[in-house]
Amino acid sequence: MSPILKLNRLIVMKSGQRAYDQKFHSGLNIIHGSNGSGKSSILDFIFFALGGNLTKWKPVAQRCDSVFAEVSAGGTKLSLRRDVSTDSNQPMFIYFGALQDGLEAAADGWQRYPYSRNDHSKTFSQILFKALGLPEIPGDEGSNITMHQILRLMYVDQTTPFQRIFRSEDFDPRDTREAISELLCGIGNNELYSKRIALRESRKME
């Protein structure tokens, strides 16, 4: 079964009030509005809520406090929460159930997962990968492929410059890009990527 991550609902909070609350359906969802109405900010919130590492917010979006998302992953409903910040590598709070139940539960039942691996907790990418049935693939310097790297490719519209569609990174090795494409196509695995890294390192020593 192919891994499918479906966004069911997105809520953006500001000072205890809902600045945006939208449910999404299966199939094509269109976010429309005039220039400057906030369409790109909504896409930024989706990217961030699902695990993207975002620090450069538009001024209006930066004034918001947090973003909630309900997703279906591998047939399981998960609710995600992240606090809007200009700091990098923000953690994610996950409630294993529907978002409405999570909102009613307040802090109870929400579990905090870090962006980066540590000795005390799994990362939120590991939790989401497991829910999707995706293998964990190690990246450079002992880190794993993350949700951020998966989500970097975002389709906005046909006239958007590629810099806006594909979120480029300062450090973006070819092996990582290939591993992500293979993972999304269902042909990648831990062994394949590890051998590619080993080959690259051996060539450096030649």
Side-chain angles (χ1 to χ4, degrees), residues 40-206:
S40 295
S41 292
I42 295 303
L43 291 171
D44 283 342
F45 280 123
I46 292 174
F47 173 79
F48 181 68
L50 299 182
N53 191 25
L54 185 63
T55 58
K56 296 180 180 179
W57 298 90
K58 291 181 173 60
V60 173
Q62 189 175 325
R63 294 204 295 267
C64 294
D65 303 318
S66 58
V67 56
F68 293 82
E70 180 189 286
V71 299
S72 294
T76 301
K77 280 188 179 179
L78 301 173
S79 297
L80 319 175
R81 193 201 95 197
R82 299 185 80 190
D83 296 331
V84 176
S85 174
T86 56
D87 294 333
S88 183
N89 299 348
Q90 287 296 300
M92 177 184 288
F93 296 84
I94 301 180
Y95 179 85
F96 294 86
L99 180 53
Q100 189 58 44
D101 294 338
L103 294 173
E104 294 173 358
D108 296 334
W110 289 84
Q111 300 181 42
R112 182 185 185 278
Y113 295 95
Y115 181 92
S116 301
R117 182 188 299 182
N118 60 48
D119 295 332
H120 308 290
S121 174
K122 291 184 176 181
T123 67
F124 63 73
S125 290
Q126 288 178 292
I127 299 299
L128 295 177
F129 273 43
K130 183 177 180 180
L132 288 166
L134 291 173
E136 291 184 30
I137 296 181
D140 293 294
E141 301 179 358
S143 63
N144 280 11
I145 299 297
T146 64
M147 285 298 296
H148 169 76
Q149 291 168 311
I150 296 291
L151 293 166
R152 282 172 56 204
L153 184 60
M154 292 191 68
Y155 181 80
V156 181
D157 59 57
Q158 293 181 355
T159 60
T160 299
F162 79 89
Q163 295 94 337
R164 184 73 181 133
I165 297 175
F166 188 78
R167 298 172 185 264
S168 60
E169 303 285 306
D170 294 333
F171 181 69
D172 187 27
R174 175 182 175 182
D175 292 327
T176 299
R177 296 198 306 269
E178 289 185 353
I180 293 169
S181 64
E182 291 166 352
L183 184 64
L184 294 176
C185 292
I187 60 175
N189 57 51
N190 191 325
E191 182 180 4
L192 175 62
Y193 187 59
S194 297
K195 288 182 177 180
R196 182 180 291 132
I197 295 295
L199 176 62
R200 187 181 69 187
E201 295 302 319
S202 66
R203 284 176 174 170
K204 287 181 181 179
M205 301 175 64
E206 292 179 354

Side-chain angles (χ1 to χ4, degrees), residues 11-22:
I11 299 177
V12 180
M13 300 295 293
K14 165 63 179 170
S15 303
Q17 301 295 319
R18 300 185 186 189
Y20 183 84
D21 186 351
Q22 182 64 53

Side-chain angles (χ1 to χ4, degrees), residues 18-45:
R18 300 185 186 189
Y20 183 84
D21 186 351
Q22 182 64 53
K23 293 181 179 179
F24 297 88
H25 56 75
S26 298
L28 177 65
N29 291 264
I30 299 175
I31 299 174
H32 64 90
S34 58
N35 290 339
S37 62
K39 299 186 299 297
S40 295
S41 292
I42 295 303
L43 291 171
D44 283 342
F45 280 123

